[in-house]
Amino acid sequence: MISRSLETTLNALALLAISAVLGVAFLDQFAKGELPCPLCLLQRAGFLLLAIGPVLNVARGPRPAHYGVTILAGLIGAGFAMRQVLLHIQPGDAGYGAPFLGLHFYTWAFVVFVVAIAACALMLVLRAPGEEPRAAGSAPVRLAGLPLIAVLLVLAMAAANGVSTLLECGFAACPDNPTVYRLLQ
Amino acid sequence: MYLAALFALLFAALAAAAFGPMRLAGLLTAASFVAAVLVYLHHATDSLPLSF
């Protein structure tokens, strides 16, 4: 069994991991100049959906319902990623974008979403039984240290993705194969 | 446009989850889930090269 304080720390680390995943995607976008397609952007949105549960856990105390939110987000994100895997599953299809460590980003995304679902299941098994330290629906605690850094980093990733997407797509629907930042032309 | 709006909604949901009232966080979280699925359905129009 793991204590509530360790559980909170693990949730903060999960937020750092989500920020790292989004950071790698950004690095690829700017270093290699590969613009994300709409499905790629949806998978990034899936990672931010995935972050809501851990944010609730660090801000309001860990609760099973918060893990439920993360599991739902993991299922939706895995669905987004699986669609892109299936779009490129035929033999001879080169896939979308350059591979990263042998796999395309959408395949990695599917793996990460499945791992997140499994991690939630494990946390629900391992968390100590007993009453929750904070009542359901209670006001958030004053964040400090690692949890505060982790939350601010995820918020920065959400904001950066919003700005980058607006630059890429402009005020119209995003093209399937974007090649330029529309608002910068 | 839809995707940028989705990221803005997600930013608001995450900020509310961390610093806002629980009711607002719940509403924005639910809205984010629904919006993500709607944007997906808007873009997922190509048929998959699969046969079962």
Side-chain angles (χ1 to χ4, degrees), chain B:
Chain B
M1 179 64 189
Y2 300 121
L3 282 158
L6 175 61
F7 283 116
L9 183 59
L10 281 163
F11 179 87
L14 288 162
F19 307 111
M22 189 60 195
R23 182 181 291 267
L24 179 64
L27 279 173
L28 288 172
T29 299
S32 300
F33 274 86
V34 172
V37 172
L38 289 178
V39 172
Y40 169 76
L41 292 175
H42 173 72
H43 279 285
T45 50
D46 297 341
S47 60
L48 294 172
L50 301 171
S51 176
F52 293 104

Side-chain angles (χ1 to χ4, degrees), chain A residues 35-46 48-49 80 157-178 182, chain B residues 1-11 32 35-44:
Chain A
L35 271 65
C37 62
L39 262 179
C40 313
L41 290 169
L42 263 173
Q43 286 157 58
R44 294 188 190 186
L48 292 171
L49 279 176
F80 295 163
M157 284 297 171
N161 270 292
V163 172
S164 160
T165 304
L166 192 59
L167 289 175
E168 179 185 326
C169 306
F171 297 100
C174 289
D176 285 341
N177 294 300
R182 281 177 169 173
Chain B
M1 179 64 189
Y2 300 121
L3 282 158
L6 175 61
F7 283 116
L9 183 59
L10 281 163
F11 179 87
S32 300
V37 172
L38 289 178
V39 172
Y40 169 76
L41 292 175
H42 173 72
H43 279 285

Side-chain angles (χ1 to χ4, degrees), chain A residues 81-128:
Chain A
M82 179 48 71
R83 176 170 174 83
Q84 199 165 9
V85 170
L86 293 177
L87 277 171
H88 301 288
I89 203 166
Q90 280 186 323
D93 190 317
Y96 187 88
F100 174 76
L101 299 177
L103 296 176
H104 287 281
F105 274 104
Y106 42 86
T107 311
W108 278 120
F110 181 78
V111 171
V112 173
F113 283 121
V114 170
V115 167
I117 294 169
C120 283
L122 197 62
M123 290 297 284
L124 287 169
V125 170
L126 292 179
R127 68 196 310 265

